[in-house]
């Protein structure tokens, strides 16, 4: 007998599979990937062999056709080993899902057979140097010329930039604002596509990030996802799932930090006793786990709403992303504090999680924008 707050047997099996994969293939290597800025392409492809490159791509298109809660469980499990690598796989999933959900048969047939096994990898291109939070102000333009669009502009902070082969890109085909935006699939090796230098980042060192530039790139009209003018709506629907996944990455990373802090405080002695025996330590650990469980419960509830296409799905995805990512960073910070001076050293994993989780409050919509989304939805009622 299960109730609505339990995972099903199938969900537990998926979670166990992802945890085993992480323990074998991610956790032992993540510190080296971070330190040496290694992009673990082979490990990511191994995750795709388990179906993790196409979690909510339909079975008809070759994906594993799961819901957003299952996706969150997978992302959370992989982030326990490396939030940066887990987040990268999440972004690929978002691109593949957008093609599957909104693309015509021709574009699906063209790209999904390579995206599902991640022999080609997808990036999501929305942000520009001048339009971050104000995404509807984007300037990259696509002008129709016969059976092609000619695309000119550039995208900033693109995960996979320069490495990935497929760029699901928001472009302006019409008027100013959200209604003039369309979605095109652009390939790395199309003439006129180029990349900026790899960004030097605080964290997320296991994945490439670069500016993507389009200089008169000719893109077949068949590569349009949805209809002209539907791009912004598609982009925002993609972000509902992306926000859940990035929140789940914060949950997994923060849980790792708690577990590391538990182990450390049970072993480290000061004033003649283990740090874990001090009431101050116990109160900190209890608060960290309590706050993380609250964020986890909200995120799982939001994931069920997004799968069900509930009318309040966007509000819940925004609330869950805001709470999970802020809580994740706060938990990592306290875990580092519990390690004392050792927490600041790269010999222990908490400093890497502290760096990796910090960006989650910024990307997929800043947490200030999440508050705007929630409040606007409340005020509409």
């Amino acid at each position: 007998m299960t109730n609505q707050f339990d995972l099903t047997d199938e969900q537990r099996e998926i979670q166990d599979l992802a945890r085993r994969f992480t323990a074998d293939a991610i956790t032992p290597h993540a510190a080296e990937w971070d330190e040496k800025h290694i992009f673990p392409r082979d490990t990511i492809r191994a995750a795709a062999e388990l179906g993790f490159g196409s979690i909510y791509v339909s079975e008809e298109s070759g994906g594993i056709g799961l819901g957003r809660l299952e996706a969150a469980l997978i992302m959370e499990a992989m982030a326990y080993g490396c939030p940066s690598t887990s987040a990268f796989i999440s972004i690929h999933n978002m691109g593949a899902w957008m093609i599957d959900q909104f693309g015509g048969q021709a574009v699906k047939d063209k790209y999904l057979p390579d995206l599902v096994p991640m022999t080609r990898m997808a990036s999501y291109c929305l942000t520009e140097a001048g339009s971050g939070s104000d995404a509807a102000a984007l300037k990259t333009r696509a002008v129709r010329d016969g059976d092609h669009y000619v695309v000119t502009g550039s995208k900033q902070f693109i995960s996979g930039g320069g490495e990935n082969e497929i760029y699901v890109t928001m472009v302006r085909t019409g008027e100013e604002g959200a209604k003039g935006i369309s979605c095109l699939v652009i390939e790395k090796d199309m003439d006129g596509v180029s990349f900026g230098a790899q960004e030097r980042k605080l964290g997320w060192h296991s994945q490439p990030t670069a500016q993507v530039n389009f200089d008169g790139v000719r893109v077949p009209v068949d590569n349009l996802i949805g209809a002209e003018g539907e791009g912004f709506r598609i982009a925002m629907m993609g972000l509902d799932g992306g926000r859940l996944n990035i929140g789940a990455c914060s949950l997994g990373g923060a849980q790792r930090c708690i577990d590391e802090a538990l182990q450390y405080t049970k072993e480290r002695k000061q004033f003649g006793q283990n740090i874990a025996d001090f009431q101050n330590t116990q109160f900190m650990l209890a608060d960290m786990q309590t706050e993380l469980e609250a964020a986890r419960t909200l995120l799982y509830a939001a994931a069920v709403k997004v799968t069900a296409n509930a009318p309040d799905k966007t509000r819940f995805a925004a609330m869950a992303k805001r709470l999970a990512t802020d809580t994740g960073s706060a938990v990592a910070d306290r875990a580092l504090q519990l390690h004392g001076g050792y927490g600041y050293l790269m010999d222990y994993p908490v400093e890497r999680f502290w760096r990796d989780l910090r960006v989650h409050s910024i990307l997929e919509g800043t947490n200030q924008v999440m508050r705007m989304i929630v409040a606007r939805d409340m005020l509409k009622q």
Side-chain angles (χ1 to χ4, degrees):
M1 175 71 184
T2 60
N3 66 44
Q4 72 204 65
F5 298 108
D6 278 336
L7 298 179
T8 65
D9 289 343
E10 186 194 8
Q11 286 164 344
R12 286 191 193 284
E13 283 173 24
I14 291 161
Q15 186 180 52
D16 286 344
L17 176 67
R19 283 174 173 171
R20 286 198 305 273
F21 174 77
T22 301
D24 292 341
I26 297 178
T27 305
H29 310 292
E32 185 185 13
W33 297 342
D34 172 74
E35 188 178 350
K36 297 181 180 171
H37 295 243
I38 293 166
F39 177 43
R41 194 182 278 272
D42 292 344
T43 306
I44 289 166
R45 294 225 169 102
E49 286 173 24
L50 301 176
F52 297 167
S54 55
I55 300 168
Y56 33 85
V57 171
S58 63
E59 291 183 37
E60 302 88 78
S61 297
I64 57 174
L66 297 176
R68 299 312 176 112
L69 177 51
E70 290 81 7
L73 295 173
I74 292 166
M75 295 302 157
E76 182 180 357
M78 290 195 294
Y80 189 89
C82 181
S84 165
T85 303
S86 186
F88 181 87
I89 295 172
S90 158
I91 293 161
H92 167 88
N93 270 276
M94 184 159 67
W97 173 78
M98 287 162 71
I99 292 172
D100 182 44
Q101 184 75 10
F102 302 104
Q105 198 58 48
V107 77
K108 289 202 268 198
D109 291 346
K110 192 167 167 186
Y111 295 112
L112 288 173
D114 289 335
L115 291 175
V116 167
M118 292 180 81
T119 47
R120 292 204 279 181
M121 298 185 196
S123 293
Y124 172 88
C125 301
L126 175 63
T127 299
E128 299 182 1
S131 61
S133 291
D134 183 11
L138 67 85
K139 297 272 191 285
T140 297
R141 183 160 286 284
V143 179
R144 180 81 182 253
D145 178 26
D147 53 3
H148 286 79
Y149 288 98
V150 180
V151 181
T152 304
S154 66
K155 297 292 180 178
Q156 186 78 336
F157 302 133
I158 302 306
S159 289
E163 288 281 349
N164 285 357
E165 294 82 11
I166 306 297
Y167 296 87
V168 181
T169 308
M170 304 307 141
V171 296
R172 185 163 304 288
T173 50
E175 62 193 80
E176 291 298 301
K179 291 193 172 67
I181 294 170
S182 301
C183 179
L184 285 176
V185 181
I186 303 178
E187 297 182 35
K188 177 182 183 175
D189 53 9
M190 287 177 172
D191 285 344
V193 176
S194 66
F195 304 94
Q198 286 297 319
E199 302 291 0
R200 297 163 64 231
K201 301 171 296 204
L202 174 69
W204 272 30
H205 291 166
S206 77
Q207 56 158 290
T209 306
Q211 189 175 58
V212 183
N213 305 308
F214 308 105
D215 182 11
V217 181
R218 294 183 67 81
V219 182
V221 170
D222 277 353
N223 282 23
L224 185 68
I225 302 293
E228 271 198 16
E230 285 185 354
F232 196 74
R233 182 180 69 86
I234 292 169
M236 292 305 108
M237 287 179 74
L239 282 175
D240 279 342
R243 286 165 182 161
L244 294 173
N245 286 349
I246 215 67
C249 288
S250 283
L251 297 177
Q255 189 63 59
R256 173 72 179 281
C257 289
I258 290 173
D259 293 349
E260 293 288 340
L262 271 171
Q263 185 181 338
Y264 181 82
T265 56
K266 285 196 281 193
E267 292 169 358
R268 171 81 168 160
K269 283 189 161 47
Q270 291 287 277
F271 305 103
Q273 65 187 93
N274 292 334
I275 300 178
D277 294 334
F278 291 108
Q279 192 177 55
N280 174 63
T281 304
Q282 293 172 8
F283 282 5
M284 279 177 78
L285 290 167
D287 284 349
M288 288 154 71
Q289 192 66 62
T290 302
E291 289 163 26
L292 193 63
E293 291 295 354
R296 181 178 280 127
T297 300
L298 177 60
L299 189 114
Y300 289 5
V304 171
K305 284 180 181 285
V306 171
T307 302
N309 204 23
D312 54 0
K313 65 176 180 175
T314 297
R315 179 207 285 210
F316 266 78
M319 291 195 299
K321 190 266 182 185
R322 204 287 297 164
L323 186 64
T325 56
D326 280 350
T327 302
S329 282
V331 165
D333 192 68
R334 283 176 280 178
L336 196 154
Q337 188 72 19
L338 284 169
H339 279 71
Y342 291 103
Y344 207 67
L345 302 183
M346 292 176 80
D347 304 328
Y348 290 82
V350 286
E351 62 83 32
R352 168 167 58 89
F353 284 87
W354 186 86
R355 287 184 289 107
D356 280 350
L357 296 187
R358 181 60 185 83
V359 75
H360 296 189
S361 302
I362 297 170
L363 47 78
E364 310 279 13
T366 66
N367 285 2
Q368 286 67 35
V369 168
M370 295 308 99
R371 291 174 172 94
M372 278 167 42
I373 291 167
V374 173
R376 282 177 185 167
D377 194 59
M378 291 167 67
L379 292 165
K380 271 198 314 212
Q381 294 176 340

